[in-house]
Amino acid sequence: MLHTLAVLVENSPGVLTRVAGLFSRRGFNIDSLAVGRTEDPEVSRMTIVVDGDDRVLEQVTKQLHKLVDVIKINDITADEYVDRELVLIKVNADHTQRVEVIQICDVFRARIVDMGRKTLTLECTGNHGKINALEETLRPYGIKELVRTGKIAMVRGTKNTGYQENGAKEESL
Amino acid sequence: MQKSGAQILVDSLLAEGVDTIFGYPGGVVLPIYDVLYDSELRHILTRHEQGAAHAADGYARASGKPGVCLATSGPGATNLVTGIANAYMDSVPVVAITGQVATSLLGRDSFQEADITGITLPITKHNFLIKDTKDIARTVREAFHIATSGRPGPVLIDMPKDVSTGMAEHLDPGPVQLPGYRFNHKPNPEQIARAVRAIEESERPVIYAGGGVVSGGAHGELLELAEMMLMPVATTLMGLGGFPGDHPLSVGMLGMHGSKYANYAVSESDLLIGIGVRFDDRVTSKLEEFAPGATIMHIDIDPAEIGKNMGVDIPVVGEVRLALRQIIDRLKPRVATQWRDKITVWKKEHPLDFVTNGQLKPQEVVREICNVTRSNARITTEVGQHQMFTAQYYTFTKPRTFISSGGLGTMGFGFPAAIGVQVACPDETVIDIAGDGSIQMNIQELATAVNYNLPVKIAIINNGFLGMVRQWQELFYNRRYSYTELKNPDFVKLAEAYGAVGMRVNNKSELRDVLEAALGVNKPVVLDIPVEREENVYPMVAPGEPIHKMLG
Ligand SMILES: Cc1ncc(C[n+]2csc(CCOP(=O)(O)OP(=O)(O)O)c2C)c(N)n1
């Protein structure tokens, strides 16, 4: 099962290596990982999508906690949350296909950001499922190039998974 | 007042209470060595950086204080790696300091550049690359805090040369502030209550005690708990000495080369209380059949150990000493149990045993070393059969007296570790029980022992084989002794060449006298003790078998 972890880390050099190294060393599977800074410049937030059962997740969380640079971990899988991914797709679209591709674009509320003689480049944001659907729909036309950011996520409502709530790590036991 | 980075480093070490460091110089640590030249901080020059790392490790295990080692960049740093990994696997507080090429040269494959923070990422509790002289004092404080608190472990500090030569104000860094570094000292009261209930309800409880009892200083509480509830105590290799080996409730070591009665007790228990352990495969063997009928309780400071290898019914996360105290305070003592009687019978029926003949047996050597030292020496070991015989036949009664490479199983650990132990305990007898193979992995440290007049004794149990590997070849590879027979040097002459004393036990009857003579010499002594060449370590749990099925 896929779990979404919101992980706050010290914005220090090597922190990505530490986290990524931990996953590979202990044989945990990362589905996607997105990282960037937060409202606090000293703190970065990683959204990590991990594949594994509850036992694996428990180990992932506990091992992550042991990294000195990891400040806080929230498994938000069971929460109501907003998640987004950004995708850029360069798809074949000569004059016979162009109209269709543009229609698909409209349906998915994607935007055309570049136009070549035989291709269109689209930008789309949405949750994982929507991006997958767009990708599938465009596949028959011939996708020349595709890049996805991996998912970022935030819990809905007033519940706060950021640094401000409290700096403390949640105890898992 | 401005100071150089090197000066700040050395002063910060002194401020942490460090009295001795083990190291080896080189280009980028020249500024640090220049400060050491007239510093009150004692420096022991080992003959190999691996020796320095193991010596720091041995020093830490014997004293309970952090051990410190120092090496230059590149090859110096990579030579520390085995020692750091060793300390990591056994959770030993070591602070390793490495020189690094100047920050302007970093990342350019400069002369003697090695990415040591990258290399040691998976084998340190944490590591630092200092980029600014101003950060040295704070980094040293954090390094010592991380190495020694919670579950201890090695921390590495990488210091580029220009950081050492740079000047800065040496300000007190104040208390450590690491928002991401927290651990539970205090166990959860609900889990303590469950633990107490489980102990009260159990009929056949067994304590399985590990290195965490020793490093957590919980040996007193362990003894109290075992005695009040009449619970037998099995220890891991790392736990030896955490419970007195001569106590009626001690069942010795469990696992692959554990005693039969320890493995039987665990297998038939209805409650297994793991304290400061990690359910390592050398203990559990076939996990599904490990303590199959037992409720599993696990007490440890590191929450990640709970459930890592073994499903746990009652987790207690916190300082083991505190947890045991809280459990003890809620229990009423037991008077007598059938379970205890059953274990006494097992002990009588299946004692640790070996066949004696005219040949000197390795087990006899260990037993005699135990006799002549009256269980009162600090013993280190290398890795192999001699290590297991030591665990089985030397009776350890006090914590921090048995010092051995458990998790990594590092041949070459014992002798440099013994040097560190002797530095920490100058008035005690320190003996490295070695194999003829292992001792040659760090034999150069004889020069260190002689140089600093550290009267470490090395007892080489000489079977002319890489004995433990030969045993596996005998049992599982049709006696095809592929590259395990050794052509050895004359160890007596070798000792003498280094300026140490060499002695040999020529036959069984000489053993005691030679041992006593060696212990009477206030110098490093190498004892060459030829023994039966093809003795095996038994009992033995073959790989993949449950622990109650033992060979021998
Ligand atoms: C550095 C290292 N290399 C290889 C091994 C694998 N190994 C384990 S025990 C052993 C044999 C040890 O021989 P010796 O030191 O003579 O001790 P004995 O088993 O004969 O008592 C070997 C090679 C190891 N543990 N460590």
Side-chain angles (χ1 to χ4, degrees), chain B residues 382-387 408-411 434-439 441 461 463 465-469 486:
Chain B
E382 307 292 338
V383 170
Q385 293 183 315
H386 63 278
Q387 177 189 31
L408 198 64
T410 313
M411 291 172 71
D436 47 315
S438 299
I439 193 59
M441 286 217 176
I461 305 211
N463 53 18
F465 277 111
L466 296 170
M468 186 57 98
V469 182
L486 296 176

Side-chain angles (χ1 to χ4, degrees), chain A residues 10 13-14 17-18 21 25-26 55 58-59 62-63 65-71 163 167-169 171-173, chain B residues 88 121-122 125-127 146 151 178-182 184 188 302-304 306-311 315 317:
Chain A
E10 209 83 57
T17 322
R18 286 180 203 278
R25 180 160 81 247
R26 299 223 175 242
R55 221 182 129 170
E58 187 181 318
Q59 264 298 306
K62 286 171 167 179
Q63 295 292 351
H65 267 303
K66 284 172 64 166
L67 297 180
V68 174
D69 290 333
V70 171
I71 302 166
Y163 188 48
K169 288 185 177 187
E171 294 306 339
S172 37
L173 280 164
Chain B
Y88 184 71
L121 210 69
K125 188 169 169 189
H126 193 58
N127 61 26
I146 294 169
R151 177 180 182 172
L178 292 166
Y181 183 68
R182 306 248 163 123
N184 281 0
N188 176 332
D302 181 358
I306 310 282
K308 183 185 78 179
N309 294 334
M310 178 96 182
V317 177

Side-chain angles (χ1 to χ4, degrees), chain B residues 50 82 362 382-389 405 408-413 433-441 460-472 483-484 486 488 531 533 535 537:
Chain B
Q50 187 186 353
T82 302
E382 307 292 338
V383 170
Q385 293 183 315
H386 63 278
Q387 177 189 31
M388 292 300 125
F389 288 135
S405 169
L408 198 64
T410 313
M411 291 172 71
F413 168 77
I433 299 185
D436 47 315
S438 299
I439 193 59
Q440 297 183 66
M441 286 217 176
I460 303 177
I461 305 211
N462 189 345
N463 53 18
F465 277 111
L466 296 170
M468 186 57 98
V469 182
R470 184 208 56 74
Q471 174 170 345
W472 283 58
Y483 300 101
T484 41
L486 296 176
N488 286 320
V531 294
R533 297 198 62 203
E535 187 70 10
V537 183

Side-chain angles (χ1 to χ4, degrees), chain B residues 429-460:
Chain B
T429 301
V430 181
I431 306 174
D432 171 32
I433 299 185
D436 47 315
S438 299
I439 193 59
Q440 297 183 66
M441 286 217 176
N442 273 315
I443 191 78
Q444 77 286 345
E445 299 307 329
L446 268 174
T448 311
V450 170
N451 190 161
Y452 296 93
N453 197 22
L454 298 164
V456 171
K457 308 294 180 283
I458 304 172
I460 303 177

